[in-house]
Amino acid sequence: MKKISLIILNLMLAASVAVAGGYRIGDKANDFKLKNVDGSIVSLADFEDAKGFIIVFTCNHCPMSKKYEGRIIDLDKKYIDLGYPVIAINPNDDKIQPADSYDKMVELAEKHDYKFPYLHDGTQDVAMEFGATRTPHAYILQKVKNDFIVQYIGAIDNNYKSAELADEKYVEDAVDALLEGEEVPITYTTAVGCTIKWAK
């Protein structure tokens, strides 16, 4: 019964994503080139040995992003050597939210010693292509030959208030399943966070 319920939930959420636009599970994600906080230009193709990626649309100012910052750092620590590095992307327009400017991104990454790329989506094209709507909003991509296949979209876990109290760790469960060659148990969840600040 639980498995049937999960299938129905995934189908319902998949339908809502399809209406909203952006990638769906099984879609091939396009590569991108975005500026990192160290000044370099980063693309998925740069990670030749990666088995996939944990893409997280996040930002500086959002209270939800702040609550998840430590968890994003921990995800990279846990999975980078297993082939699933974190790539964080800030999609917000800094004219609307100055705290999310590129310079402020550099300051934040240096303050918390980010080991993963923190990329500036200045045109917001990447966020729109993915269909991201919130910060944070997570996407798991699996590398299949030379393609990047979307395997999970949604929240990082089920408790934004506390990592310790989260008993459904969607991103970890998805990556663990892929590493074991199994199907992702839950492919869609609703991302919880601040709305992306789109340019007017």
Side-chain angles (χ1 to χ4, degrees), residues 136-194:
H137 203 154
Y139 292 74
I140 306 301
L141 308 183
Q142 181 185 30
K143 190 174 181 181
V144 180
K145 295 183 179 179
N146 292 319
D147 294 331
F148 308 106
I149 307 302
V150 181
Q151 298 287 9
Y152 172 78
I153 301 171
I156 292 172
D157 58 38
N158 70 341
N159 195 314
Y160 70 88
K161 295 180 180 179
S162 169
E164 290 72 24
L165 296 178
D167 55 10
E168 292 282 351
K169 298 185 177 182
Y170 307 121
V171 166
E172 291 188 39
D173 290 346
V175 176
D176 288 344
L178 293 171
L179 288 170
E180 293 296 326
E182 300 172 355
E183 291 187 5
V184 173
I186 298 178
T187 55
Y188 284 100
T189 60
T190 301
V192 178
C194 302

Side-chain angles (χ1 to χ4, degrees), residues 17 20-23 55-58 89-92 121 124-139 153-154 191 194-198:
V17 170
Y23 292 137
I55 308 288
V56 183
F57 290 89
T58 187
I89 302 174
N90 176 9
N92 283 343
D121 186 10
Q124 301 185 308
D125 288 344
V126 176
M128 285 188 282
E129 186 167 31
F130 270 74
T133 59
R134 301 275 175 176
T135 54
H137 203 154
Y139 292 74
I153 301 171
C194 302
T195 57
I196 288 176
K197 305 303 181 271
W198 301 106

Side-chain angles (χ1 to χ4, degrees), residues 38-50:
D38 65 1
S40 65
I41 302 300
V42 172
S43 70
L44 300 180
D46 296 334
F47 298 79
E48 295 181 359
D49 296 329

Side-chain angles (χ1 to χ4, degrees), residues 36-81:
N36 192 14
V37 287
D38 65 1
S40 65
I41 302 300
V42 172
S43 70
L44 300 180
D46 296 334
F47 298 79
E48 295 181 359
D49 296 329
K51 298 175 183 177
F53 300 92
I54 301 169
I55 308 288
V56 183
F57 290 89
T58 187
C59 67
N60 291 16
H61 89 279
C62 175
M64 296 290 193
S65 291
K66 291 178 180 179
K67 285 183 178 292
Y68 274 103
E69 183 181 36
R71 280 174 263 188
I72 294 169
I73 291 170
D74 288 343
L75 283 170
D76 188 63
K77 288 178 180 177
K78 181 174 181 178
Y79 290 109
I80 186 168
D81 290 337

Side-chain angles (χ1 to χ4, degrees), residues 60-61 90 94 97-101 104-105:
N60 291 16
H61 89 279
N90 176 9
D94 60 15
Q97 182 47 260
D100 289 332
S101 70
K104 295 293 186 182
M105 290 172 60

